């Protein structure tokens, strides 16, 4: 079980890096994972959004909850501020 302080710590860390370039590795189950790069767009009370780099195609925004980071469903690597 996760403590409320754990979630608030993750929220604080992500909100400090709004606008930073990140690399995401999302766990899709059964040893499947996807790797994307993008920019942290916003940090809301329950979720955060990331604008994905998609090359020449349309830009896409994805959202994740802070518990996704705690449960390691999403791993974030920050490249810069």
């Amino acid at each position: 079980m996760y403590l409320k302080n754990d979630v608030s710590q993750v929220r604080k860390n992500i909100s400090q890096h709004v606008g930073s370039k990140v690399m995401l590795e999302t766990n899709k189950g059964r040893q499947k994972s996807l790797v994307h790069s993008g920019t942290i767009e916003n940090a809301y009370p329950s979720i955060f959004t990331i604008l994905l780099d998609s090359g020449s195609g349309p830009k896409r925004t994805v959202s994740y909850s802070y518990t996704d980071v705690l449960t390691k469903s999403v791993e974030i690597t920050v490249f810069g501020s």
Side-chain angles (χ1 to χ4, degrees):
M1 182 170 186
Y2 297 106
L3 300 175
K4 183 178 179 183
N5 293 338
D6 294 339
V7 175
S8 63
Q9 184 66 34
V10 171
R11 183 182 306 122
K12 181 181 173 185
N13 288 339
I14 290 176
S15 65
Q16 288 176 349
H17 293 289
V18 169
S20 299
K21 295 290 249 178
V22 294
M23 184 180 70
L24 294 171
E25 184 173 351
T26 56
N27 182 4
K28 294 294 183 182
R30 293 196 175 220
Q31 299 177 351
K32 296 177 188 174
S33 64
L34 296 173
V35 177
H36 294 289
S37 62
T39 305
I40 299 176
E41 196 172 35
N42 285 313
Y44 299 105
S46 299
I47 61 169
F48 60 97
T49 59
I50 296 181
L51 181 65
L52 297 179
D53 297 336
S54 59
S56 62
K59 296 201 180 238
R60 207 173 92 187
T61 301
V62 294
S63 63
Y64 297 102
S65 69
Y66 300 109
T67 56
D68 290 336
V69 177
L70 284 174
T71 59
K72 306 238 189 259
S73 296
V74 176
E75 293 183 23
I76 300 176
T77 305
V78 179
F79 290 122
S81 337

